[in-house]
Amino acid sequence: MKYVLVTGGVVSGLGKGVTASSIGLLLKACGLRVTSIKIDPYLNTDAGTMSPFEHGEVFVLDDGGEVDLDLGNYERFLDIKLTRDNNITTGKIYQSVLDNERKGDYLGKTVQVVPHITDAIQKWIERVALIPVDGKEGPADVCVIELGGTIGDIESMPFIEALGQFSYHVGPGNFCLIHVSLVPVLNVVGEQKTKPTQHSVRGLRGLGLTPNILACRSTKALEDNVKAKLSQFCHVAAENILTLYDVPNIWHIPLLLRDQKAHEAILKELNLIGVAREPDLQEWTARTRVYDILHEPVRIAMVGKYTGLSDSYLSVLKALLHASVACRRKLVVEWVAAGDLEDVTAKEAPDVYKNAWDLLKGSDGVLVPGGFGDRGVQGKILAAKYARENKVPFLGVCLGMQIAVIEFARSVLGLHDANSTEFDPETSYPCVIFMPEGSKTHMGGTMRLGSRRTFFKVPNCKSAKLYNNDSFVDERHRHRYEVNPNMVQQFENAGLSFVGRDETGQRMEIIELPSHPYFVGAQFHPEFKSRPGKPSALFLGLIAAASGQLDAVLQNYGHASKLLPNGIGNGKPTVKTYQNGNAIKSSNGSLNGVYSNGNDNGNGAHH
Ligand code: GLN
């Protein structure tokens, strides 16, 4: 096993996760099998309890692990399936050491950060690196480890110490350290400044780690004299100094790295020259070019609780993007704060109310994502009602499906008090109820988490077609509440179809309104399994419906691979060449790819 460690210096938010995923992708393109580990030096044992508003979305894995959103980047870029143990947190390490201490495993010794915590970190890494994540047998060739935070943080000290020991233990030729840093340009002189990077490399060395490669974020490519200076002061060969200059979207990063021969530098450090081949990024390049030239917009209203921070819905945005690229449309996300659609806002802030409704009405499709708690629920219900009545394409994910059911119960069945017991435990028509897989009385551990199977009950429905007419599909879940099985018949009689259910037939997984162009809801979160070249079926359905291409897609039975590289539309990719520096530039210089209200929305450089 070979290890690539990615650390970050100077400031947070350099796009370290995207860089690490891109390095993994590049190595994969060289024919190597790649896995990854993300280290988060916080005390939470997992990301499940962390606010998406503060920390970005909680990403869910097949095994039910609730993890940092960077693992989503790895899964998407490398097309792999990680496990909960691929996300190491301080909390997890301490918990395992403390459990062992209680069991008496340390034989009377004083339990200390060094060596007990640091040993536990190293053992964890070695164990997890061996887990196959690409569907093949046996361990991968390379494990990319991303250390969260910035060098110098108090929290990451035990990890740095452990990784220093680890690099010594696995030995030269098996370990490559890539330090991601920042080279700012001061406007007054327009000069690229190396001092912050020098300092952060010095800090790294002081902690016992020596960088093999520097990856410098900057607006333009580094000038030769700047590279020479960095090389001299940081003791890193000039050819091992890479520039991650600003690009229009994150799909360019692997190409940028390849153009600077990052793979050669890494393979040399890892003694893999001759084992790996030249990188094959043909498909990736073609898709990136398609993405670059998209101009015809598809406007999707995202009716959610958090609209200030796009990281809160990162996977949903990525899934929308993958589907939009497949449909040859430029994704424009219109953020609508659910609460702004409500009557109270009409009274308190009429301008805000009008603006929210204008955005919703100006959209080609409506998406209501998952969520917890009752804030904005009424607004989401109004958005679903609007989409249903006006035949606007609609996709409801998890809570988004539940509110569509509540809306249907209220408006079509006339059950005005219908609600989810999550929001009104006393409702006389509980159409969404607490349906844990385990205990009904204990909140802890009652979430239905991870991969579960959905069987299609109606073979020719739109969702089944989008899923290639397969008889079942495995998707990831994260919820406690579900549609009340006792009310299903009543709904179906009124025209709401429950086309996908679990193996018992008691848990409703997919709803559809056959009389509507595209009105679909899923109890699961299809966004977590969407990939750049393999858009998630239900998202593809939404974008295709919103851009007038659903019939074409359904004729293809939603076979996404048939859509690329030629696509369903007529967007002909033109050849765009990289030039050193600023040939390709984004409007605000972020590393990002999703457009919001016509502007880049800054979710790429989020770490
Ligand atoms: N709050 C809802 C539930 O627990 C929906 C959860 C979600 O959207 N992820 O069932």
Side-chain angles (χ1 to χ4, degrees), residues 370-372 397-399 402 422 478-481 523 525:
F372 294 83
V397 173
C398 204
L399 179 64
Q402 297 172 1
E422 181 180 6
R478 184 173 186 250
H479 62 101
R480 294 191 178 87
Y481 294 82
Q523 184 55 71
H525 291 266

Side-chain angles (χ1 to χ4, degrees), residues 492-535:
E492 292 219 312
N493 294 345
L496 181 64
S497 189
F498 294 84
V499 298
R501 304 184 187 191
D502 79 333
E503 71 282 358
T504 66
Q506 289 300 297
R507 296 180 189 274
M508 303 305 127
E509 293 279 8
I510 308 177
I511 59 162
E512 222 177 277
L513 270 181
S515 58
H516 188 287
Y518 191 80
F519 193 96
V520 174
Q523 184 55 71
F524 49 79
H525 291 266
E527 66 270 22
F528 293 133
K529 284 173 80 173
S530 187
R531 303 282 186 264
K534 300 178 195 160

Side-chain angles (χ1 to χ4, degrees), residues 157-210:
M157 291 301 180
F159 289 103
I160 306 257
E161 174 59 28
L163 289 161
Q165 292 180 17
F166 190 70
S167 69
Y168 175 71
H169 159 73
V170 297
N174 294 313
F175 191 86
C176 173
L177 170 51
I178 303 178
H179 188 58
V180 184
S181 170
L182 176 74
V183 175
V185 172
L186 289 190
N187 278 342
V188 212
V189 270
E191 197 187 334
Q192 294 177 327
K193 293 298 198 182
T194 62
K195 198 71 88 191
T197 302
Q198 291 182 41
H199 277 299
S200 107
V201 169
R202 200 169 298 153
L204 199 57
R205 282 183 187 282
L207 297 168
L209 283 171
T210 307

